[in-house]
Amino acid sequence: MEGPSTNNALSSMAKDGNFPAVYPVGPLLNLAGGGKIFDKKNRDRILEWLDAQEAAESVVFLCFGNLGSFGAEQVKEIALGLEESGVKFLWALRKPPPEGKVSTPGEFTDPQEILLEGFLSRIGARGLVCGWAPQAEILAHRAIRGFVSHCGWNSILEALLFGVPIAAWPMYAEQQANAFYLVEDLKLAAGLKMNYSLGQMDLVTAREIQNAVELLMNGADDEVVKMRARVGEIKKMARAAVGEDGASSQAVGRLMSDMCRK
């Protein structure tokens, strides 16, 4: 997927004889849903809820990757922020691994064990709290308007491919750098909690979450409108790149031709 800055970099490398040939390919995505596509019961529950939303682009999706989970204090802040926002939401809430144990998050038997008392009753049909979620299918759904994300690279690519603006909440690994590039450089996302110091996990307050969700879903100021327009343009570029005659397909063709000549 090429843009102005990418084209400039590629042109610079092509003119410098010290660089080997570069073949820009992508975006490369696994849209089948990953290794847990067999969780059909949960998938069907989520998609049925989304299908029941009468208005298009009316739901914000919160999901934080395969390793994303929060302790009780942060979960309560998220819940309060969503409740106060009044926005429809789908929240992929994962259970943290036991303290001191390195493993992937699990699933809550009953999310009420960590949520605010009475939260699910108060929000009613306005929101759905789930565990694992088929992220690509959800982002492709007509009901989704915004995505609160940890800014893992696959999540960013999926969101852009389906034209869904992001509220960036980076947590670990390369996510701070991804979020900075997305928010500050490309202007394709809004910053929810922009702490670029690795390992720093400050509590994100309910008000911060509420403000970010409301901005993402209902923001009408000039910058938000421009951000949505840019995301729409990137969606078109991404789909064109991986099309039959797109830049990515052509690059793969050049790679194959060059390999056959050697």
Side-chain angles (χ1 to χ4, degrees), residues 105-128:
E107 309 297 335
F108 287 101
T109 303
D110 181 358
Q112 291 187 102
E113 64 187 85
I114 195 171
L115 292 168
L116 293 166
E117 184 177 354
F119 173 74
L120 294 178
S121 298
R122 290 192 300 274
I123 60 136
R126 177 165 69 84
L128 179 65

mmCIF file with all atom_site columns, all heavy atoms in Angstrom, residues 105-128:
data_model
loop_
_atom_site.group_PDB
_atom_site.id
_atom_site.type_symbol
_atom_site.label_atom_id
_atom_site.label_alt_id
_atom_site.label_comp_id
_atom_site.label_asym_id
_atom_site.label_entity_id
_atom_site.label_seq_id
_atom_site.pdbx_PDB_ins_code
_atom_site.Cartn_x
_atom_site.Cartn_y
_atom_site.Cartn_z
_atom_site.occupancy
_atom_site.B_iso_or_equiv
_atom_site.pdbx_formal_charge
_atom_site.auth_seq_id
_atom_site.auth_comp_id
_atom_site.auth_asym_id
_atom_site.auth_atom_id
_atom_site.pdbx_PDB_model_num
ATOM 1   N N   . PRO A 1 105 ? -4.225  -14.094 27.606 1.00 0.00 ? 105 PRO A N   1
ATOM 2   C CA  . PRO A 1 105 ? -5.450  -13.891 28.377 1.00 0.00 ? 105 PRO A CA  1
ATOM 3   C C   . PRO A 1 105 ? -6.465  -15.006 28.121 1.00 0.00 ? 105 PRO A C   1
ATOM 4   O O   . PRO A 1 105 ? -6.477  -15.628 27.054 1.00 0.00 ? 105 PRO A O   1
ATOM 5   C CB  . PRO A 1 105 ? -5.968  -12.546 27.864 1.00 0.00 ? 105 PRO A CB  1
ATOM 6   C CG  . PRO A 1 105 ? -4.767  -11.853 27.333 1.00 0.00 ? 105 PRO A CG  1
ATOM 7   C CD  . PRO A 1 105 ? -3.911  -12.935 26.760 1.00 0.00 ? 105 PRO A CD  1
ATOM 8   N N   . GLY A 1 106 ? -7.329  -15.216 29.108 1.00 0.00 ? 106 GLY A N   1
ATOM 9   C CA  . GLY A 1 106 ? -8.375  -16.216 28.982 1.00 0.00 ? 106 GLY A CA  1
ATOM 10  C C   . GLY A 1 106 ? -9.746  -15.564 28.871 1.00 0.00 ? 106 GLY A C   1
ATOM 11  O O   . GLY A 1 106 ? -9.862  -14.386 28.540 1.00 0.00 ? 106 GLY A O   1
ATOM 12  N N   . GLU A 1 107 ? -10.765 -16.341 29.177 1.00 0.00 ? 107 GLU A N   1
ATOM 13  C CA  . GLU A 1 107 ? -12.136 -15.857 29.079 1.00 0.00 ? 107 GLU A CA  1
ATOM 14  C C   . GLU A 1 107 ? -12.787 -15.868 30.467 1.00 0.00 ? 107 GLU A C   1
ATOM 15  O O   . GLU A 1 107 ? -12.566 -16.783 31.261 1.00 0.00 ? 107 GLU A O   1
ATOM 16  C CB  . GLU A 1 107 ? -12.947 -16.745 28.125 1.00 0.00 ? 107 GLU A CB  1
ATOM 17  C CG  . GLU A 1 107 ? -12.307 -16.971 26.767 1.00 0.00 ? 107 GLU A CG  1
ATOM 18  C CD  . GLU A 1 107 ? -12.142 -15.698 25.958 1.00 0.00 ? 107 GLU A CD  1
ATOM 19  O OE1 . GLU A 1 107 ? -12.908 -14.742 26.200 1.00 0.00 ? 107 GLU A OE1 1
ATOM 20  O OE2 . GLU A 1 107 ? -11.245 -15.648 25.110 1.00 0.00 ? 107 GLU A OE2 1
ATOM 21  N N   . PHE A 1 108 ? -13.602 -14.867 30.741 1.00 0.00 ? 108 PHE A N   1
ATOM 22  C CA  . PHE A 1 108 ? -14.380 -14.849 31.976 1.00 0.00 ? 108 PHE A CA  1
ATOM 23  C C   . PHE A 1 108 ? -15.557 -15.806 31.857 1.00 0.00 ? 108 PHE A C   1
ATOM 24  O O   . PHE A 1 108 ? -16.252 -15.824 30.831 1.00 0.00 ? 108 PHE A O   1
ATOM 25  C CB  . PHE A 1 108 ? -14.911 -13.444 32.260 1.00 0.00 ? 108 PHE A CB  1
ATOM 26  C CG  . PHE A 1 108 ? -13.863 -12.474 32.711 1.00 0.00 ? 108 PHE A CG  1
ATOM 27  C CD1 . PHE A 1 108 ? -13.324 -11.542 31.828 1.00 0.00 ? 108 PHE A CD1 1
ATOM 28  C CD2 . PHE A 1 108 ? -13.401 -12.488 34.022 1.00 0.00 ? 108 PHE A CD2 1
ATOM 29  C CE1 . PHE A 1 108 ? -12.353 -10.639 32.237 1.00 0.00 ? 108 PHE A CE1 1
ATOM 30  C CE2 . PHE A 1 108 ? -12.432 -11.592 34.446 1.00 0.00 ? 108 PHE A CE2 1
ATOM 31  C CZ  . PHE A 1 108 ? -11.901 -10.663 33.553 1.00 0.00 ? 108 PHE A CZ  1
ATOM 32  N N   . THR A 1 109 ? -15.778 -16.596 32.889 1.00 0.00 ? 109 THR A N   1
ATOM 33  C CA  . THR A 1 109 ? -16.985 -17.422 32.928 1.00 0.00 ? 109 THR A CA  1
ATOM 34  C C   . THR A 1 109 ? -18.205 -16.520 32.978 1.00 0.00 ? 109 THR A C   1
ATOM 35  O O   . THR A 1 109 ? -19.213 -16.767 32.306 1.00 0.00 ? 109 THR A O   1
ATOM 36  C CB  . THR A 1 109 ? -16.960 -18.352 34.160 1.00 0.00 ? 109 THR A CB  1
ATOM 37  O OG1 . THR A 1 109 ? -15.773 -19.149 34.116 1.00 0.00 ? 109 THR A OG1 1
ATOM 38  C CG2 . THR A 1 109 ? -18.188 -19.256 34.176 1.00 0.00 ? 109 THR A CG2 1
ATOM 39  N N   . ASP A 1 110 ? -18.106 -15.460 33.759 1.00 0.00 ? 110 ASP A N   1
ATOM 40  C CA  . ASP A 1 110 ? -19.162 -14.455 33.852 1.00 0.00 ? 110 ASP A CA  1
ATOM 41  C C   . ASP A 1 110 ? -18.488 -13.092 34.000 1.00 0.00 ? 110 ASP A C   1
ATOM 42  O O   . ASP A 1 110 ? -17.853 -12.831 35.023 1.00 0.00 ? 110 ASP A O   1
ATOM 43  C CB  . ASP A 1 110 ? -20.064 -14.740 35.051 1.00 0.00 ? 110 ASP A CB  1
ATOM 44  C CG  . ASP A 1 110 ? -21.209 -13.736 35.175 1.00 0.00 ? 110 ASP A CG  1
ATOM 45  O OD1 . ASP A 1 110 ? -21.271 -12.794 34.352 1.00 0.00 ? 110 ASP A OD1 1
ATOM 46  O OD2 . ASP A 1 110 ? -22.033 -13.896 36.089 1.00 0.00 ? 110 ASP A OD2 1
ATOM 47  N N   . PRO A 1 111 ? -18.584 -12.197 32.990 1.00 0.00 ? 111 PRO A N   1
ATOM 48  C CA  . PRO A 1 111 ? -17.896 -10.899 33.081 1.00 0.00 ? 111 PRO A CA  1
ATOM 49  C C   . PRO A 1 111 ? -18.362 -10.041 34.246 1.00 0.00 ? 111 PRO A C   1
ATOM 50  O O   . PRO A 1 111 ? -17.668 -9.103  34.635 1.00 0.00 ? 111 PRO A O   1
ATOM 51  C CB  . PRO A 1 111 ? -18.220 -10.231 31.737 1.00 0.00 ? 111 PRO A CB  1
ATOM 52  C CG  . PRO A 1 111 ? -19.416 -10.943 31.210 1.00 0.00 ? 111 PRO A CG  1
ATOM 53  C CD  . PRO A 1 111 ? -19.327 -12.340 31.716 1.00 0.00 ? 111 PRO A CD  1
ATOM 54  N N   . GLN A 1 112 ? -19.515 -10.354 34.841 1.00 0.00 ? 112 GLN A N   1
ATOM 55  C CA  . GLN A 1 112 ? -19.997 -9.559  35.967 1.00 0.00 ? 112 GLN A CA  1
ATOM 56  C C   . GLN A 1 112 ? -19.080 -9.664  37.174 1.00 0.00 ? 112 GLN A C   1
ATOM 57  O O   . GLN A 1 112 ? -19.141 -8.817  38.070 1.00 0.00 ? 112 GLN A O   1
ATOM 58  C CB  . GLN A 1 112 ? -21.419 -10.002 36.349 1.00 0.00 ? 112 GLN A CB  1
ATOM 59  C CG  . GLN A 1 112 ? -22.450 -9.643  35.290 1.00 0.00 ? 112 GLN A CG  1
ATOM 60  C CD  . GLN A 1 112 ? -23.865 -9.921  35.749 1.00 0.00 ? 112 GLN A CD  1
ATOM 61  O OE1 . GLN A 1 112 ? -24.594 -9.015  36.126 1.00 0.00 ? 112 GLN A OE1 1
ATOM 62  N NE2 . GLN A 1 112 ? -24.255 -11.190 35.716 1.00 0.00 ? 112 GLN A NE2 1
ATOM 63  N N   . GLU A 1 113 ? -18.196 -10.675 37.171 1.00 0.00 ? 113 GLU A N   1
ATOM 64  C CA  . GLU A 1 113 ? -17.288 -10.823 38.309 1.00 0.00 ? 113 GLU A CA  1
ATOM 65  C C   . GLU A 1 113 ? -16.252 -9.697  38.357 1.00 0.00 ? 113 GLU A C   1
ATOM 66  O O   . GLU A 1 113 ? -15.658 -9.444  39.413 1.00 0.00 ? 113 GLU A O   1
ATOM 67  C CB  . GLU A 1 113 ? -16.574 -12.176 38.258 1.00 0.00 ? 113 GLU A CB  1
ATOM 68  C CG  . GLU A 1 113 ? -15.658 -12.362 37.054 1.00 0.00 ? 113 GLU A CG  1
ATOM 69  C CD  . GLU A 1 113 ? -15.111 -13.776 36.946 1.00 0.00 ? 113 GLU A CD  1
ATOM 70  O OE1 . GLU A 1 113 ? -15.786 -14.648 36.378 1.00 0.00 ? 113 GLU A OE1 1
ATOM 71  O OE2 . GLU A 1 113 ? -13.988 -13.987 37.441 1.00 0.00 ? 113 GLU A OE2 1
ATOM 72  N N   . ILE A 1 114 ? -16.044 -8.984  37.242 1.00 0.00 ? 114 ILE A N   1
ATOM 73  C CA  . ILE A 1 114 ? -15.068 -7.900  37.228 1.00 0.00 ? 114 ILE A CA  1
ATOM 74  C C   . ILE A 1 114 ? -15.689 -6.550  36.882 1.00 0.00 ? 114 ILE A C   1
ATOM 75  O O   . ILE A 1 114 ? -15.118 -5.510  37.160 1.00 0.00 ? 114 ILE A O   1
ATOM 76  C CB  . ILE A 1 114 ? -13.926 -8.218  36.238 1.00 0.00 ? 114 ILE A CB  1
ATOM 77  C CG1 . ILE A 1 114 ? -12.722 -7.278  36.491 1.00 0.00 ? 114 ILE A CG1 1
ATOM 78  C CG2 . ILE A 1 114 ? -14.396 -8.167  34.792 1.00 0.00 ? 114 ILE A CG2 1
ATOM 79  C CD1 . ILE A 1 114 ? -11.472 -7.664  35.721 1.00 0.00 ? 114 ILE A CD1 1
ATOM 80  N N   . LEU A 1 115 ? -16.866 -6.546  36.297 1.00 0.00 ? 115 LEU A N   1
ATOM 81  C CA  . LEU A 1 115 ? -17.508 -5.299  35.895 1.00 0.00 ? 115 LEU A CA  1
ATOM 82  C C   . LEU A 1 115 ? -18.149 -4.581  37.079 1.00 0.00 ? 115 LEU A C   1
ATOM 83  O O   . LEU A 1 115 ? -18.354 -5.176  38.144 1.00 0.00 ? 115 LEU A O   1
ATOM 84  C CB  . LEU A 1 115 ? -18.569 -5.576  34.829 1.00 0.00 ? 115 LEU A CB  1
ATOM 85  C CG  . LEU A 1 115 ? -18.044 -6.035  33.463 1.00 0.00 ? 115 LEU A CG  1
ATOM 86  C CD1 . LEU A 1 115 ? -19.186 -6.553  32.591 1.00 0.00 ? 115 LEU A CD1 1
ATOM 87  C CD2 . LEU A 1 115 ? -17.319 -4.889  32.765 1.00 0.00 ? 115 LEU A CD2 1
ATOM 88  N N   . LEU A 1 116 ? -18.469 -3.301  36.882 1.00 0.00 ? 116 LEU A N   1
ATOM 89  C CA  . LEU A 1 116 ? -19.188 -2.540  37.896 1.00 0.00 ? 116 LEU A CA  1
ATOM 90  C C   . LEU A 1 116 ? -20.513 -3.212  38.216 1.00 0.00 ? 116 LEU A C   1
ATOM 91  O O   . LEU A 1 116 ? -21.183 -3.758  37.316 1.00 0.00 ? 116 LEU A O   1
ATOM 92  C CB  . LEU A 1 116 ? -19.454 -1.125  37.390 1.00 0.00 ? 116 LEU A CB  1
ATOM 93  C CG  . LEU A 1 116 ? -18.251 -0.207  37.193 1.00 0.00 ? 116 LEU A CG  1
ATOM 94  C CD1 . LEU A 1 116 ? -18.662 1.006   36.372 1.00 0.00 ? 116 LEU A CD1 1
ATOM 95  C CD2 . LEU A 1 116 ? -17.689 0.218   38.537 1.00 0.00 ? 116 LEU A CD2 1
ATOM 96  N N   . GLU A 1 117 ? -20.905 -3.164  39.480 1.00 0.00 ? 117 GLU A N   1
ATOM 97  C CA  . GLU A 1 117 ? -22.164 -3.782  39.882 1.00 0.00 ? 117 GLU A CA  1
ATOM 98  C C   . GLU A 1 117 ? -23.336 -3.152  39.116 1.00 0.00 ? 117 GLU A C   1
ATOM 99  O O   . GLU A 1 117 ? -23.482 -1.933  39.062 1.00 0.00 ? 117 GLU A O   1
ATOM 100 C CB  . GLU A 1 117 ? -22.382 -3.596  41.389 1.00 0.00 ? 117 GLU A CB  1
ATOM 101 C CG  . GLU A 1 117 ? -23.627 -4.301  41.902 1.00 0.00 ? 117 GLU A CG  1
ATOM 102 C CD  . GLU A 1 117 ? -23.780 -4.170  43.406 1.00 0.00 ? 117 GLU A CD  1
ATOM 103 O OE1 . GLU A 1 117 ? -22.860 -3.638  44.059 1.00 0.00 ? 117 GLU A OE1 1
ATOM 104 O OE2 . GLU A 1 117 ? -24.834 -4.608  43.928 1.00 0.00 ? 117 GLU A OE2 1
ATOM 105 N N   . GLY A 1 118 ? -24.134 -3.996  38.499 1.00 0.00 ? 118 GLY A N   1
ATOM 106 C CA  . GLY A 1 118 ? -25.305 -3.540  37.760 1.00 0.00 ? 118 GLY A CA  1
ATOM 107 C C   . GLY A 1 118 ? -25.012 -2.989  36.378 1.00 0.00 ? 118 GLY A C   1
ATOM 108 O O   . GLY A 1 118 ? -25.925 -2.526  35.686 1.00 0.00 ? 118 GLY A O   1
ATOM 109 N N   . PHE A 1 119 ? -23.744 -3.030  35.938 1.00 0.00 ? 119 PHE A N   1
ATOM 110 C CA  . PHE A 1 119 ? -23.364 -2.435  34.655 1.00 0.00 ? 119 PHE A CA  1
ATOM 111 C C   . PHE A 1 119 ? -24.140 -3.046  33.494 1.00 0.00 ? 119 PHE A C   1
ATOM 112 O O   . PHE A 1 119 ? -24.723 -2.331  32.666 1.00 0.00 ? 119 PHE A O   1
ATOM 113 C CB  . PHE A 1 119 ? -21.859 -2.603  34.433 1.00 0.00 ? 119 PHE A CB  1
ATOM 114 C CG  . PHE A 1 119 ? -21.386 -2.183  33.072 1.00 0.00 ? 119 PHE A CG  1
ATOM 115 C CD1 . PHE A 1 119 ? -21.295 -0.843  32.735 1.00 0.00 ? 119 PHE A CD1 1
ATOM 116 C CD2 . PHE A 1 119 ? -21.015 -3.132  32.123 1.00 0.00 ? 119 PHE A CD2 1
ATOM 117 C CE1 . PHE A 1 119 ? -20.847 -0.447  31.478 1.00 0.00 ? 119 PHE A CE1 1
ATOM 118 C CE2 . PHE A 1 119 ? -20.568 -2.751  30.860 1.00 0.00 ? 119 PHE A CE2 1
ATOM 119 C CZ  . PHE A 1 119 ? -20.483 -1.409  30.547 1.00 0.00 ? 119 PHE A CZ  1
ATOM 120 N N   . LEU A 1 120 ? -24.168 -4.367  33.417 1.00 0.00 ? 120 LEU A N   1
ATOM 121 C CA  . LEU A 1 120 ? -24.832 -5.022  32.287 1.00 0.00 ? 120 LEU A CA  1
ATOM 122 C C   . LEU A 1 120 ? -26.334 -4.732  32.271 1.00 0.00 ? 120 LEU A C   1
ATOM 123 O O   . LEU A 1 120 ? -26.927 -4.560  31.195 1.00 0.00 ? 120 LEU A O   1
ATOM 124 C CB  . LEU A 1 120 ? -24.584 -6.529  32.337 1.00 0.00 ? 120 LEU A CB  1
ATOM 125 C CG  . LEU A 1 120 ? -23.132 -6.965  32.124 1.00 0.00 ? 120 LEU A CG  1
ATOM 126 C CD1 . LEU A 1 120 ? -22.997 -8.478  32.247 1.00 0.00 ? 120 LEU A CD1 1
ATOM 127 C CD2 . LEU A 1 120 ? -22.610 -6.501  30.767 1.00 0.00 ? 120 LEU A CD2 1
ATOM 128 N N   . SER A 1 121 ? -26.929 -4.615  33.429 1.00 0.00 ? 121 SER A N   1
ATOM 129 C CA  . SER A 1 121 ? -28.364 -4.294  33.497 1.00 0.00 ? 121 SER A CA  1
ATOM 130 C C   . SER A 1 121 ? -28.621 -2.867  33.037 1.00 0.00 ? 121 SER A C   1
ATOM 131 O O   . SER A 1 121 ? -29.596 -2.595  32.327 1.00 0.00 ? 121 SER A O   1
ATOM 132 C CB  . SER A 1 121 ? -28.882 -4.477  34.929 1.00 0.00 ? 121 SER A CB  1
ATOM 133 O OG  . SER A 1 121 ? -28.748 -5.816  35.338 1.00 0.00 ? 121 SER A OG  1
ATOM 134 N N   . ARG A 1 122 ? -27.744 -1.960  33.421 1.00 0.00 ? 122 ARG A N   1
ATOM 135 C CA  . ARG A 1 122 ? -27.950 -0.549  33.070 1.00 0.00 ? 122 ARG A CA  1
ATOM 136 C C   . ARG A 1 122 ? -27.766 -0.287  31.572 1.00 0.00 ? 122 ARG A C   1
ATOM 137 O O   . ARG A 1 122 ? -28.488 0.496   30.978 1.00 0.00 ? 122 ARG A O   1
ATOM 138 C CB  . ARG A 1 122 ? -27.010 0.353   33.882 1.00 0.00 ? 122 ARG A CB  1
ATOM 139 C CG  . ARG A 1 122 ? -27.353 0.423   35.363 1.00 0.00 ? 122 ARG A CG  1
ATOM 140 C CD  . ARG A 1 122 ? -26.590 1.540   36.055 1.00 0.00 ? 122 ARG A CD  1
ATOM 141 N NE  . ARG A 1 122 ? -25.138 1.380   35.974 1.00 0.00 ? 122 ARG A NE  1
ATOM 142 C CZ  . ARG A 1 122 ? -24.424 0.659   36.831 1.00 0.00 ? 122 ARG A CZ  1
ATOM 143 N NH1 . ARG A 1 122 ? -25.027 0.000   37.814 1.00 0.00 ? 122 ARG A NH1 1
ATOM 144 N NH2 . ARG A 1 122 ? -23.110 0.574   36.705 1.00 0.00 ? 122 ARG A NH2 1
ATOM 145 N N   . ILE A 1 123 ? -26.790 -0.947  30.971 1.00 0.00 ? 123 ILE A N   1
ATOM 146 C CA  . ILE A 1 123 ? -26.565 -0.684  29.541 1.00 0.00 ? 123 ILE A CA  1
ATOM 147 C C   . ILE A 1 123 ? -27.542 -1.458  28.658 1.00 0.00 ? 123 ILE A C   1
ATOM 148 O O   . ILE A 1 123 ? -27.837 -1.056  27.536 1.00 0.00 ? 123 ILE A O   1
ATOM 149 C CB  . ILE A 1 123 ? -25.111 -0.989  29.137 1.00 0.00 ? 123 ILE A CB  1
ATOM 150 C CG1 . ILE A 1 123 ? -24.783 -2.458  29.406 1.00 0.00 ? 123 ILE A CG1 1
ATOM 151 C CG2 . ILE A 1 123 ? -24.144 -0.077  29.845 1.00 0.00 ? 123 ILE A CG2 1
ATOM 152 C CD1 . ILE A 1 123 ? -24.035 -3.112  28.320 1.00 0.00 ? 123 ILE A CD1 1
ATOM 153 N N   . GLY A 1 124 ? -28.062 -2.572  29.171 1.00 0.00 ? 124 GLY A N   1
ATOM 154 C CA  . GLY A 1 124 ? -29.062 -3.334  28.416 1.00 0.00 ? 124 GLY A CA  1
ATOM 155 C C   . GLY A 1 124 ? -28.577 -3.700  27.029 1.00 0.00 ? 124 GLY A C   1
ATOM 156 O O   . GLY A 1 124 ? -27.446 -4.152  26.827 1.00 0.00 ? 124 GLY A O   1
ATOM 157 N N   . ALA A 1 125 ? -29.423 -3.446  26.032 1.00 0.00 ? 125 ALA A N   1
ATOM 158 C CA  . ALA A 1 125 ? -29.116 -3.816  24.649 1.00 0.00 ? 125 ALA A CA  1
ATOM 159 C C   . ALA A 1 125 ? -28.179 -2.816  23.975 1.00 0.00 ? 125 ALA A C   1
ATOM 160 O O   . ALA A 1 125 ? -27.785 -3.023  22.820 1.00 0.00 ? 125 ALA A O   1
ATOM 161 C CB  . ALA A 1 125 ? -30.410 -3.936  23.848 1.00 0.00 ? 125 ALA A CB  1
ATOM 162 N N   . ARG A 1 126 ? -27.807 -1.737  24.670 1.00 0.00 ? 126 ARG A N   1
ATOM 163 C CA  . ARG A 1 126 ? -26.939 -0.722  24.063 1.00 0.00 ? 126 ARG A CA  1
ATOM 164 C C   . ARG A 1 126 ? -25.522 -1.222  23.859 1.00 0.00 ? 126 ARG A C   1
ATOM 165 O O   . ARG A 1 126 ? -24.779 -0.691  23.019 1.00 0.00 ? 126 ARG A O   1
ATOM 166 C CB  . ARG A 1 126 ? -26.916 0.542   24.927 1.00 0.00 ? 126 ARG A CB  1
ATOM 167 C CG  . ARG A 1 126 ? -25.977 1.622   24.409 1.00 0.00 ? 126 ARG A CG  1
ATOM 168 C CD  . ARG A 1 126 ? -26.256 2.956   25.051 1.00 0.00 ? 126 ARG A CD  1
ATOM 169 N NE  . ARG A 1 126 ? -25.907 3.018   26.454 1.00 0.00 ? 126 ARG A NE  1
ATOM 170 C CZ  . ARG A 1 126 ? -24.681 3.284   26.913 1.00 0.00 ? 126 ARG A CZ  1
ATOM 171 N NH1 . ARG A 1 126 ? -23.681 3.454   26.075 1.00 0.00 ? 126 ARG A NH1 1
ATOM 172 N NH2 . ARG A 1 126 ? -24.461 3.367   28.211 1.00 0.00 ? 126 ARG A NH2 1
ATOM 173 N N   . GLY A 1 127 ? -25.125 -2.233  24.611 1.00 0.00 ? 127 GLY A N   1
ATOM 174 C CA  . GLY A 1 127 ? -23.765 -2.731  24.482 1.00 0.00 ? 127 GLY A CA  1
ATOM 175 C C   . GLY A 1 127 ? -23.710 -4.236  24.611 1.00 0.00 ? 127 GLY A C   1
ATOM 176 O O   . GLY A 1 127 ? -24.630 -4.870  25.128 1.00 0.00 ? 127 GLY A O   1
ATOM 177 N N   . LEU A 1 128 ? -22.620 -4.800  24.114 1.00 0.00 ? 128 LEU A N   1
ATOM 178 C CA  . LEU A 1 128 ? -22.377 -6.237  24.248 1.00 0.00 ? 128 LEU A CA  1
ATOM 179 C C   . LEU A 1 128 ? -20.952 -6.433  24.726 1.00 0.00 ? 128 LEU A C   1
ATOM 180 O O   . LEU A 1 128 ? -20.000 -5.927  24.116 1.00 0.00 ? 128 LEU A O   1
ATOM 181 C CB  . LEU A 1 128 ? -22.588 -6.947  22.912 1.00 0.00 ? 128 LEU A CB  1
ATOM 182 C CG  . LEU A 1 128 ? -22.335 -8.457  22.926 1.00 0.00 ? 128 LEU A CG  1
ATOM 183 C CD1 . LEU A 1 128 ? -23.358 -9.162  23.820 1.00 0.00 ? 128 LEU A CD1 1
ATOM 184 C CD2 . LEU A 1 128 ? -22.380 -9.032  21.511 1.00 0.00 ? 128 LEU A CD2 1
#
